PDB file of all heavy atoms in Angstrom:
ATOM      1  N   ALA A  81      15.189 131.267 157.908  1.00 92.00           N
ATOM      2  CA  ALA A  81      15.180 130.090 156.983  1.00 92.00           C
ATOM      3  C   ALA A  81      16.538 129.589 157.011  1.00 92.00           C
ATOM      4  O   ALA A  81      17.635 130.326 156.993  1.00 92.00           O
ATOM      5  CB  ALA A  81      14.792 130.553 155.612  1.00 92.00           C
ATOM      6  N   LEU A  82      16.735 128.253 157.033  1.00 92.00           N
ATOM      7  CA  LEU A  82      18.005 127.452 157.138  1.00 92.00           C
ATOM      8  C   LEU A  82      18.893 127.911 155.973  1.00 92.00           C
ATOM      9  O   LEU A  82      20.167 128.225 156.129  1.00 92.00           O
ATOM     10  CB  LEU A  82      17.818 126.047 157.098  1.00 92.00           C
ATOM     11  CG  LEU A  82      19.125 125.174 157.284  1.00 92.00           C
ATOM     12  CD1 LEU A  82      19.837 125.471 158.590  1.00 92.00           C
ATOM     13  CD2 LEU A  82      18.640 123.706 157.047  1.00 92.00           C
ATOM     14  N   GLY A  83      18.378 127.962 154.764  1.00 93.00           N
ATOM     15  CA  GLY A  83      19.144 128.466 153.532  1.00 93.00           C
ATOM     16  C   GLY A  83      19.727 129.802 153.775  1.00 93.00           C
ATOM     17  O   GLY A  83      20.912 130.090 153.365  1.00 93.00           O
ATOM     18  N   ARG A  84      18.992 130.681 154.262  1.00 93.00           N
ATOM     19  CA  ARG A  84      19.484 131.993 154.429  1.00 93.00           C
ATOM     20  C   ARG A  84      20.630 132.055 155.538  1.00 93.00           C
ATOM     21  O   ARG A  84      21.577 132.807 155.499  1.00 93.00           O
ATOM     22  CB  ARG A  84      18.471 133.061 154.750  1.00 93.00           C
ATOM     23  CG  ARG A  84      17.490 133.290 153.460  1.00 93.00           C
ATOM     24  CD  ARG A  84      16.372 134.166 153.878  1.00 93.00           C
ATOM     25  NE  ARG A  84      15.437 134.112 152.749  1.00 93.00           N
ATOM     26  CZ  ARG A  84      15.403 135.157 151.861  1.00 93.00           C
ATOM     27  NH1 ARG A  84      16.287 136.074 151.671  1.00 93.00           N
ATOM     28  NH2 ARG A  84      14.573 134.958 150.829  1.00 93.00           N
ATOM     29  N   SER A  85      20.492 131.246 156.632  1.00 92.00           N
ATOM     30  CA  SER A  85      21.337 131.192 157.652  1.00 92.00           C
ATOM     31  C   SER A  85      22.684 130.593 157.210  1.00 92.00           C
ATOM     32  O   SER A  85      23.834 131.004 157.456  1.00 92.00           O
ATOM     33  CB  SER A  85      20.838 130.244 158.850  1.00 92.00           C
ATOM     34  OG  SER A  85      19.820 130.814 159.419  1.00 92.00           O
ATOM     35  N   ILE A  86      22.532 129.542 156.369  1.00 93.00           N
ATOM     36  CA  ILE A  86      23.759 129.041 155.683  1.00 93.00           C
ATOM     37  C   ILE A  86      24.455 129.953 154.823  1.00 93.00           C
ATOM     38  O   ILE A  86      25.699 129.998 154.832  1.00 93.00           O
ATOM     39  CB  ILE A  86      23.415 127.643 154.881  1.00 93.00           C
ATOM     40  CG1 ILE A  86      23.002 126.699 155.924  1.00 93.00           C
ATOM     41  CG2 ILE A  86      24.496 127.160 154.107  1.00 93.00           C
ATOM     42  CD1 ILE A  86      22.388 125.351 155.305  1.00 93.00           C
ATOM     43  N   GLY A  87      23.701 130.783 154.021  1.00 93.00           N
ATOM     44  CA  GLY A  87      24.346 131.791 153.120  1.00 93.00           C
ATOM     45  C   GLY A  87      25.067 132.844 154.051  1.00 93.00           C
ATOM     46  O   GLY A  87      26.173 133.144 153.571  1.00 93.00           O
ATOM     47  N   ALA A  88      24.507 133.199 155.126  1.00 92.00           N
ATOM     48  CA  ALA A  88      25.195 134.177 155.920  1.00 92.00           C
ATOM     49  C   ALA A  88      26.349 133.581 156.506  1.00 92.00           C
ATOM     50  O   ALA A  88      27.514 134.179 156.706  1.00 92.00           O
ATOM     51  CB  ALA A  88      24.178 134.783 156.968  1.00 92.00           C
ATOM     52  N   GLY A  89      26.122 132.302 156.974  1.00 91.00           N
ATOM     53  CA  GLY A  89      27.368 131.699 157.759  1.00 91.00           C
ATOM     54  C   GLY A  89      28.559 131.470 156.821  1.00 91.00           C
ATOM     55  O   GLY A  89      29.697 131.626 157.245  1.00 91.00           O
ATOM     56  N   ILE A  90      28.301 131.115 155.537  1.00 94.00           N
ATOM     57  CA  ILE A  90      29.301 130.836 154.560  1.00 94.00           C
ATOM     58  C   ILE A  90      30.065 132.201 154.317  1.00 94.00           C
ATOM     59  O   ILE A  90      31.240 132.412 154.305  1.00 94.00           O
ATOM     60  CB  ILE A  90      28.862 130.223 153.229  1.00 94.00           C
ATOM     61  CG1 ILE A  90      28.520 128.693 153.535  1.00 94.00           C
ATOM     62  CG2 ILE A  90      29.866 130.295 152.151  1.00 94.00           C
ATOM     63  CD1 ILE A  90      27.708 128.114 152.468  1.00 94.00           C
ATOM     64  N   SER A  91      29.206 133.328 154.139  1.00 93.00           N
ATOM     65  CA  SER A  91      29.771 134.693 153.871  1.00 93.00           C
ATOM     66  C   SER A  91      30.648 135.111 154.927  1.00 93.00           C
ATOM     67  O   SER A  91      31.740 135.591 154.628  1.00 93.00           O
ATOM     68  CB  SER A  91      28.589 135.666 153.665  1.00 93.00           C
ATOM     69  OG  SER A  91      27.690 135.231 152.588  1.00 93.00           O
ATOM     70  N   VAL A  92      30.210 134.949 156.240  1.00 93.00           N
ATOM     71  CA  VAL A  92      31.017 135.457 157.341  1.00 93.00           C
ATOM     72  C   VAL A  92      32.229 134.519 157.503  1.00 93.00           C
ATOM     73  O   VAL A  92      33.309 135.031 157.911  1.00 93.00           O
ATOM     74  CB  VAL A  92      30.150 135.560 158.606  1.00 93.00           C
ATOM     75  CG1 VAL A  92      30.923 135.733 159.833  1.00 93.00           C
ATOM     76  CG2 VAL A  92      29.054 136.548 158.384  1.00 93.00           C
TER      77      VAL A  92
END
Side-chain angles (χ1 to χ4, degrees):
L82 182 60
R84 294 179 188 261
S85 292
I86 291 171
I90 291 171
S91 300
V92 171

